[in-house]
Amino acid sequence: MVQELLIALVVVVLAGVAYTAAAARVVKQYERGVVLRFGRLRNDVRGPGFTMVLPGAERLRKVNMQIVTMPVPAQDGITRDNVTVRVDAVIYFKVVDAASAVVEVEDYRFAVSQMAQTSLRSIIGKSDLDDLLSNREKLNQGLELMIDSPAVGWGVQIDRVEIKDVSLPETMKRSMARQAEADRERRARVINADAELQASKKLSQAAAEMSSQPAALQLRLLQTVVAVAAEKNSTLVLPFPVELLRFLERAQQPTAPPQAVQGAQPAQGVQAAPPVEPAASSSPESSADSSLAASRESSPESSPVSSQTETQSAEPAPEPESSSAPPSPSPGPSPSQGPARTARTPKPSPPAARPRPRPNGSKPLARH
């Protein structure tokens, strides 16, 4: 009898263990359990921990409540300004209602992925290329609203949507690069022109200051010489301004009293006699005299003299007397062929340069 009781007890224990093993379920902290009894949803959603279900009558489905990161495959599209682009994105979502995620949609992950792809293509068609490249925050918000609207009924909440990359054709990339280069060059030219304007204003102010103080120009020139000499070049080209020469010329001129300046003015009644050109002559002496007169005219010491000196120089020179000496083999004319001299008025000359009288019978020597 006791033996039969022990056997029955063992059978009951084994049956209880088998039932417990079949009915026991463990729900993790980040999961929720949805129980279906004979295919009907139970209102109570099992929380994390140990739970029991009726084996064969109830079925427990676990739903992950963590945030899911799902990449959206790259989508090819044409923007509103007719540019072909390829855009890919990433979506962050989580389940907020486990029962709806199990009952309302067959596979909420697949559904969210397809909805994200279609919404991304729609956003591409409604936007310009500049918006895709620079105004992504606004596009992300619009894309999030487009995906979140149908996902609310699935018990899914869209946490965030980000456009990851925008791929452009090579021709478009080159065009954009040229545009950016032109814009940079324009900005550089504007900055350079502004710098030239400011420099010209400063240089005009410096020129005004140097014009009031001429010594400042000389000091600036010396500073330029020092700066050029520091390069240790073999050739030094030094510009010499005309203003510096004028400054030095004014510094060298003595300051005379006003009375001396008035006494140095010439009298108004005295007029210089105009020079008389000598007549042409065929004799060597006349040619020598004319060349000597031309040299005296070119010399700085020749100047018009008073009328008394002109009268003395206008007197005819004494002609040489004939001589019985034999003729010289020089190529001059003989005294018998005495050339006719034309009366002329030469310029006054120093007494040392007057021709000496020749003795009787001598011929004029040719001057070379």
Side-chain angles (χ1 to χ4, degrees):
M1 184 71 179
V2 177
Q3 186 177 0
E4 292 177 355
L5 291 174
L6 291 175
I7 292 174
L9 182 61
V10 170
V11 171
V12 171
V13 171
L14 292 177
V17 171
Y19 178 80
T20 303
R25 296 290 185 273
V26 176
V27 180
K28 298 179 182 179
Q29 181 67 36
Y30 54 86
E31 294 177 342
R32 297 295 182 268
V34 178
V35 180
L36 299 174
R37 180 178 292 180
F38 297 109
R40 178 175 288 187
L41 177 67
R42 296 295 299 270
N43 293 331
D44 56 336
V45 177
R46 307 294 174 86
F50 182 79
T51 185
M52 297 289 291
V53 295
L54 294 176
E58 295 179 352
R59 188 175 180 182
L60 180 68
R61 291 191 61 177
K62 300 176 182 178
V63 180
N64 193 341
M65 305 296 289
Q66 292 177 325
I67 295 177
V68 180
T69 303
M70 179 182 294
V72 181
Q75 303 296 314
D76 294 329
I78 300 177
T79 60
R80 191 166 58 180
D81 50 354
N82 299 326
V83 179
T84 304
V85 294
R86 186 180 180 89
V87 183
D88 57 348
V90 59
I91 182 172
Y92 303 89
F93 68 94
K94 64 180 179 179
V95 178
V96 294
D97 189 357
S100 299
V102 173
V103 176
E104 298 296 335
V105 65
E106 179 183 2
D107 188 355
Y108 66 91
R109 289 175 178 266
F110 181 74
V112 171
S113 175
Q114 295 299 317
M115 180 57 65
Q117 294 180 28
T118 55
S119 300
L120 183 59
R121 285 195 294 268
S122 178
I123 285 293
I124 293 173
K126 294 179 181 179
S127 305
D128 294 333
L129 179 61
D130 295 337
D131 295 335
L132 288 175
L133 296 176
S134 60
N135 197 9
R136 291 189 181 183
E137 291 294 333
K138 183 178 179 181
L139 296 180
N140 293 337
Q141 294 177 3
L143 188 59
E144 180 180 347
L145 291 176
M146 292 180 67
I147 301 174
D148 189 60
S149 297
V152 171
W154 304 337
V156 178
Q157 179 183 356
I158 305 300
D159 188 60
R160 193 171 184 179
V161 180
E162 293 286 345
I163 295 177
K164 232 178 9 176
D165 187 21
V166 178
S167 300
L168 299 174
E170 293 297 329
T171 55
M172 181 58 64
K173 289 181 180 179
R174 290 194 293 268
S175 300
M176 294 177 65
R178 289 195 298 269
Q179 179 184 0
E181 184 179 358
D183 185 61
R184 291 286 182 180
E185 185 176 358
R186 178 185 62 83
R187 291 169 58 184
R189 289 183 179 180
V190 170
I191 294 173
N192 191 15
D194 191 10
E196 290 292 338
L197 177 60
Q198 295 179 6
S200 62
K201 291 181 179 179
K202 295 298 181 181
L203 288 176
S204 63
Q205 295 178 4
E209 291 293 334
M210 288 185 179
S211 62
S212 61
Q213 296 292 335
L217 184 61
Q218 184 178 5
L219 295 177
R220 189 72 185 99
L221 179 60
L222 296 177
Q223 291 178 359
T224 305
V225 173
V226 172
V228 175
E231 300 294 333
K232 298 181 180 180
N233 295 331
S234 59
T235 303
L236 179 61
V237 179
L238 180 62
F240 208 73
V242 181
E243 289 78 3
L244 183 58
L245 294 176
R246 294 174 180 173
F247 171 73
L248 296 177
E249 182 179 358
R250 289 196 300 267
Q252 290 179 1
Q253 289 179 357
T255 56
Q259 298 179 358
V261 173
Q262 294 178 1
Q265 295 180 356
Q268 298 180 358
V270 180
Q271 297 182 356
V276 180
E277 296 181 358
S281 177
S282 59
S283 63
E285 184 179 358
S286 61
S287 62
D289 294 340
S290 62
S291 61
L292 183 59
S295 62
R296 289 168 182 170
E297 287 180 9
S298 61
S299 62
E301 296 179 1
S302 61
S303 59
V305 295
S306 61
S307 58
Q308 182 178 0
T309 309
E310 291 180 358
T311 306
Q312 294 177 2
S313 60
E315 294 179 357
E319 295 183 359
E321 299 177 356
S322 58
S323 177
S324 59
S328 173
S330 59
S334 59
S336 60
Q337 299 176 358
R341 293 188 180 183
T342 306
R344 54 191 176 88
T345 307
K347 286 189 172 292
S349 59
R354 293 180 181 178
R356 299 177 181 178
R358 293 184 296 270
N360 296 333
S362 61
K363 293 170 55 179
L365 300 177
R367 298 183 182 179
H368 298 282

